[in-house]
Amino acid sequence: MLSLAALMLSGLISNTPVQAAGLPPVQDDPVRVEDVVVSGRRLQDEAEAFVAELAAPPPKRGLARWRGPVCIGVANLSESIARPLIDHIATVASTYDVRIREPGCAPNVIIVFTDDAPGMARGLVARDAEAFRVRWSSQLDRGQKARDAFQNGDWPVRWWHVSMPVIGTSGQRAIRMPGDTGPISVPGEGLANKGRPITDVLSKVIVIVDIAKVEGAELPLLGDYLAMVALAQVDPEGGTGRFDTVLNLFHETGRDEGLSGWDKAYLASLYGAFPERIDRYNHASSIVRDLRRAERSAQRQ
């Protein structure tokens, strides 16, 4: 199987972004976590720990997911390299019923390959500060510490998610923005249901890949890794080392497989949830249900 480095040697680097073509949903294999043989409360504890390490929503917000269609754009790779990578990410997204836009759309998942990832990150923040810092609301921004890490971290891959709270049933914005004059009406919100009609949706994801630091990574593995961080608000500083996850691809423990059972359960639970706010505890419980359901299904086959 060809690695990114091998493919880059056979192709030219291109500054023209490549975009994803629409793909039909595909059927995935049942989610199984073969190394988890615990049951009862222990599995719940493990799921809660997994979610605690991965999930990185803005403070006081739920876990965001894509509600509208996704347009994937890749910059600084030749089309011969970028196209299979984009198609792979799009196929993973389609598995969770995320719609993919046709080529020519304005990308809302932007993946940039560069030989100076910190410099690229700092340049993006300097040129478009409002995309990384929401001065008028604490509900959309992970804060200065996360922003500093995005700009100055020494990671092979770094990312920044932009999300918006919306009314779950209608998709209308659930917070006031500059220029709004009328009230924002959220049906049923109050102390009794703790605002559950509100959910959080992703609106843009910016991913920067350090070419030198991902050298040798096989394209399908890199594609799974990029799909995971494009579809979910993953914490780049999360301690995932003890878990079976594609996020360990560049971890000291290494990894030679793509999305794990834990990863698939995480995404399936995120995108299979009701259109309401998803908190970490409920998400962990949903993962446990999905794992048990998948195991029962596999046993019947």
Side-chain angles (χ1 to χ4, degrees):
M1 190 172 295
L2 292 178
S3 68
L4 175 64
L7 284 173
M8 288 183 65
L9 289 175
S10 64
L12 297 176
I13 299 299
S14 171
N15 290 319
T16 303
V18 181
Q19 297 177 338
L23 293 176
V26 298
Q27 298 298 320
D28 199 11
D29 294 332
V31 175
R32 299 194 67 183
V33 182
E34 297 179 355
D35 61 334
V36 177
V37 293
V38 294
S39 60
R41 182 63 193 174
R42 175 70 185 281
L43 182 56
Q44 178 72 27
D45 290 341
E46 286 295 290
E48 289 179 15
F50 186 63
V51 172
E53 294 297 343
L54 261 68
K60 300 180 181 180
R61 298 252 41 105
L63 304 178
R65 54 204 161 163
W66 291 102
R67 182 178 180 130
V70 169
C71 177
I72 306 169
V74 169
N76 295 342
L77 287 183
S78 68
E79 184 171 1
S80 63
I81 304 173
R83 175 57 54 194
L85 182 62
I86 289 175
D87 289 345
H88 185 96
I89 297 170
T91 298
V92 173
S94 299
T95 302
Y96 303 102
D97 295 326
V98 177
R99 290 169 291 159
I100 305 299
R101 285 179 172 165
E102 297 292 335
C105 54
N108 50 14
V109 173
I110 305 164
I111 304 172
V112 182
F113 284 75
T114 177
D115 58 3
D116 180 13
M120 173 69 72
R122 288 191 289 268
L124 290 175
V125 173
R127 284 194 294 271
D128 191 7
E130 294 304 318
F132 297 89
R133 179 173 52 214
V134 184
R135 300 178 186 274
W136 45 269
S137 174
S138 61
Q139 299 180 334
L140 311 178
D141 193 323
R142 289 188 58 219
Q144 185 65 47
K145 182 179 178 181
R147 196 160 44 248
D148 289 344
F150 173 76
Q151 295 179 86
N152 303 313
D154 190 32
W155 305 313
V157 184
R158 68 196 67 213
W159 52 85
W160 189 262
H161 296 88
V162 181
S163 62
M164 175 68 68
V166 302
I167 300 170
T169 54
S170 67
Q172 296 178 330
R173 252 189 309 109
I175 61 172
R176 293 175 61 85
M177 296 181 68
D180 286 343
T181 57
I184 300 293
S185 176
V186 181
E189 182 171 12
L191 192 59
N193 58 18
K194 300 181 181 178
R196 288 178 68 82
I198 296 178
T199 189
D200 297 271
V201 298
L202 291 168
S203 59
K204 180 177 290 186
V205 179
I206 300 169
V207 183
I208 301 176
V209 182
D210 189 311
I211 293 175
K213 287 185 171 61
V214 302
E215 183 178 0
E218 295 179 350
L219 281 184
L221 293 183
L222 182 61
D224 277 1
Y225 186 102
L226 295 175
M228 188 73 181
V229 303
L231 294 173
Q233 293 166 306
V234 173
D235 188 348
E237 299 181 281
T240 59
R242 74 182 182 90
F243 294 102
D244 181 25
T245 171
V246 72
L247 297 172
N248 291 332
L249 178 60
F250 304 110
H251 192 270
E252 58 268 18
T253 59
R255 184 169 179 81
D256 57 6
E257 298 180 7
L259 291 169
S260 71
W262 278 110
D263 297 326
K264 293 176 182 178
Y266 189 98
L267 293 174
S269 299
L270 181 65
Y271 283 90
F274 290 108
E276 57 189 30
R277 182 175 298 163
I278 310 170
D279 64 33
R280 299 186 187 196
Y281 178 81
N282 289 334
H283 187 40
S285 297
S286 179
I287 288 175
V288 170
R289 290 193 297 271
D290 281 353
L291 290 176
R292 289 174 174 159
R293 186 183 304 115
E295 285 297 325
R296 289 193 297 269
S297 175
Q299 290 170 1
R300 288 194 296 267
Q301 292 181 356

